[in-house]
Amino acid sequence: MGLLNTGHDQTNQQKDIGTALKNGKEILFQGFNWESHKYNWWENLESKVGEIAKAGFTSVWLPPPTHSFSPQGYTPQNLYSLNTNYGSEHHLKALLAKMKQHKLRSMADIVINHRVGTTQGRGGIYNRFDGIPLSWDEHAVTSDTGGLGNRKTGAIFQGFPNIDHTQDFVRKDIIGWLRWLRHNVGFEDFRFDFAKGFSAKYVKEYIEAAKPLFCVGEYWDSCNYRGSSLDYNQDSHRQRIINWIDGTGQLSAAFDFTTKGILQEAVKGEFWRLRDGQGKPPGVMGWWPSRSVTFVDNHDTGSTQAHWPFPSDHIMEGYAYILTHPGIPTVFYDHLFEWGNSIRNQIAKLIDVRKREGIESRSSMRILEAKQNLYSAIIGDKVCMKIGSASWCPSASHTQWELATSGHNYAVWRKQ
């Protein structure tokens, strides 16, 4: 089963897991979408660093920084080349330097589940990496994806040679590369792509060796559906994510795909979904909030791919939920910079309330209402919020509340 909810965060604090996970004050910004490679992206972001820092973010997740077969960066080949469709090595380093000046951490997108070969090896497959750094042969590729290595320790990413992390030489080379990204290039945080593709114990080894300040894994599998209808109970789904976090020695957080899946159904007028059978939030956030990285959409679920999009007319209800709740919230580039000034200002106000009122990843919370058209909760005894079309405001019997910010179908109050 892995570790469950009760007392999890308190009992494991003696572990040195990096200050970022400990302080619980993280607010992440995803600094790209699926189309970003078409523009001078490092230069574009450099021009926005001041604004991103001013909004209150602590870390910016950047697209994969190294050479890739496909322009978005998710089919890596030469891991030591920093010249990509997003811009040159020079422009990347200028961006990272400017982020450091503004005390914004940079998060590298680490794609180590698969790699595109340079030459054909056994079986006529491009499963060798001759002529570039980390010039592995077929033994670096798993036997079930056309190589001479061992079988995969996780799910297969179809169509590409999958890396065999059981090989000592592979792990040694990956650690060397991660240390280079961390200490030479200057990335401080890591995001692990396609984390269900290889055992979490290797992620633990890589984190311990490269010592990033903060890590998050993309452990994405399907929620539980009956036909097209999402099940109310997603405990088995969030348990799988929690098992992965446990497998990393609790050193990495994980994207809360459970909360994402439930929240985007709830906002359609099914807010009863936002309280589980124990009265807690129904995602990873409800069981292990200090390791739950919440989000509304990303480059896969939204953007031009739109694999699993949040209803666009309810985006602000989604942000009103994740930016007032425990967990580590993430804001998507499109919503801050491409959906207009009104959305940007509303998100900025919610971040401001979160920071001012001291809401953190482990803040206590109490759900007050969770029914068809209304959800409301008190977080950290300092903030009260509601989302949904039903009108509602907090009872004034014990506490004087004042409106902090509001918008279409959401409102947030703070104690006077």
Side-chain angles (χ1 to χ4, degrees):
M1 276 290 281
L3 295 164
L4 278 177
N5 42 12
T6 48
H8 216 87
D9 287 321
Q10 289 72 34
T11 51
N12 290 297
Q13 280 322 295
Q14 71 274 17
K15 270 201 158 172
D16 184 23
I17 49 173
T19 48
L21 275 178
K22 281 184 179 171
N23 77 26
K25 293 180 168 66
E26 298 305 300
I27 304 175
L28 311 183
F29 179 63
Q30 179 175 359
F32 66 101
N33 60 34
W34 194 244
E35 304 299 323
S36 300
H37 64 91
K38 295 175 180 172
Y39 309 95
N40 297 316
W41 201 249
W42 302 143
E43 292 177 83
N44 167 49
L45 279 183
E46 192 184 342
S47 72
K48 292 179 165 69
V49 163
E51 200 174 341
I52 295 166
K54 188 165 169 274
F57 295 102
T58 56
S59 178
V60 180
W61 162 21
L62 299 176
T66 55
H67 169 262
S68 164
F69 188 72
S70 58
Q72 294 86 1
Y74 290 96
T75 54
Q77 194 170 55
N78 183 349
L79 293 175
Y80 276 97
S81 169
L82 294 170
N83 294 305
T84 68
N85 285 69
Y86 297 106
S88 67
E89 174 176 349
H90 170 76
H91 284 128
L92 172 61
K93 289 188 168 170
L95 169 62
L96 298 187
K98 186 158 185 189
M99 286 174 63
K100 263 207 165 68
Q101 284 170 10
H102 284 80
K103 297 187 166 51
L104 267 176
R105 296 201 316 276
S106 52
M107 179 183 289
D109 202 326
I110 305 297
V111 187
I112 49 174
N113 173 76
H114 48 275
R115 188 182 178 196
V116 176
T118 57
T119 47
Q120 288 173 299
R122 179 181 161 272
I125 302 167
Y126 281 86
N127 55 10
R128 292 180 62 89
F129 307 90
D130 301 309
I132 54 174
L134 309 188
S135 50
W136 300 334
D137 65 9
E138 299 94 324
H139 291 91
V141 176
T142 63
S143 59
D144 33 21
T145 63
L148 293 174
N150 294 311
R151 291 184 64 79
K152 278 222 79 175
T153 58
I156 291 173
F157 189 87
Q158 297 292 346
F160 295 94
N162 285 216
I163 295 170
D164 182 7
H165 294 264
T166 70
Q167 305 288 347
D168 291 346
F169 76 92
V170 167
R171 293 202 308 283
K172 180 171 168 287
D173 281 350
I174 288 175
I175 285 168
W177 175 67
L178 291 173
R179 285 177 170 158
W180 173 75
L181 284 177
R182 174 78 182 87
H183 302 290
N184 297 63
V185 183
F187 283 99
E188 292 159 294
D189 299 348
F190 291 160
R191 177 253 186 196
F192 289 96
D193 179 67
F194 200 72
K196 70 176 183 178
F198 48 101
S199 171
K201 71 182 180 185
Y202 301 123
V203 175
K204 176 178 190 282
E205 186 177 335
Y206 299 147
I207 293 172
E208 286 173 339
K211 299 182 170 55
L213 299 179
F214 179 83
C215 286
V216 56
E218 181 208 26
Y219 193 95
W220 183 12
D221 63 4
S222 296
C223 283
N224 310 322
Y225 286 88
R226 287 190 195 162
S228 62
S229 173
L230 184 75
D231 283 354
Y232 165 68
N233 186 325
Q234 297 292 331
D235 286 357
S236 63
H237 185 265
R238 59 177 162 174
Q239 186 66 56
R240 289 194 293 275
I241 297 174
I242 276 172
N243 291 349
W244 181 84
I245 299 167
D246 271 335
T248 72
Q250 309 165 24
L251 298 180
S252 181
F255 286 109
D256 195 342
F257 283 94
T258 320
T259 290
K260 149 89 171 151
I262 294 169
L263 185 59
Q264 65 189 23
E265 295 302 318
V267 295
K268 298 172 187 173
E270 300 179 355
F271 287 101
W272 45 268
R273 293 181 177 277
L274 292 180
R275 177 161 53 193
D276 73 8
Q278 282 67 52
K280 295 184 172 210
V284 177
M285 178 208 293
W287 279 354
W288 204 352
S290 74
R291 301 295 188 282
S292 155
V293 176
T294 53
F295 68 104
V296 170
D297 259 331
N298 64 29
H299 62 292
D300 288 323
T301 65
S303 189
T304 51
Q305 294 200 93
H307 289 315
W308 201 37
F310 204 94
S312 57
D313 50 343
H314 293 283
I315 254 2
M316 284 313 305
E317 288 164 86
Y319 279 117
Y321 181 86
I322 69 169
L323 287 170
T324 59
H325 274 54
I328 299 162
T330 310
V331 174
F332 183 38
Y333 181 90
D334 293 19
H335 301 147
L336 201 69
F337 287 116
E338 296 193 346
W339 284 41
N341 287 335
S342 171
I343 296 283
R344 184 190 315 186
N345 293 337
Q346 289 178 74
I347 290 171
K349 276 186 187 163
L350 286 166
I351 293 172
D352 185 57
V353 172
R354 183 180 186 86
K355 292 180 89 81
R356 246 178 234 254
E357 303 303 318
I359 297 174
E360 299 172 5
S361 66
R362 298 177 183 80
S363 289
S364 62
M365 64 164 296
R366 190 159 44 98
I367 297 170
L368 303 175
E369 300 274 6
K371 48 195 188 189
Q372 191 177 353
N373 290 310
L374 172 68
Y375 171 86
S376 63
I378 292 178
I379 305 94
D381 288 329
K382 297 174 183 173
V383 170
C384 188
M385 60 78 73
K386 63 82 60 168
I387 49 177
S389 58
S391 61
W392 184 89
C393 64
S395 140
S397 54
H398 302 297
T399 307
Q400 292 300 305
W401 295 99
E402 65 175 358
L403 191 65
T405 186
S406 64
H408 182 62
N409 286 350
Y410 76 89
V412 181
W413 297 263
R414 62 160 73 93
K415 272 191 179 170
Q416 276 183 334

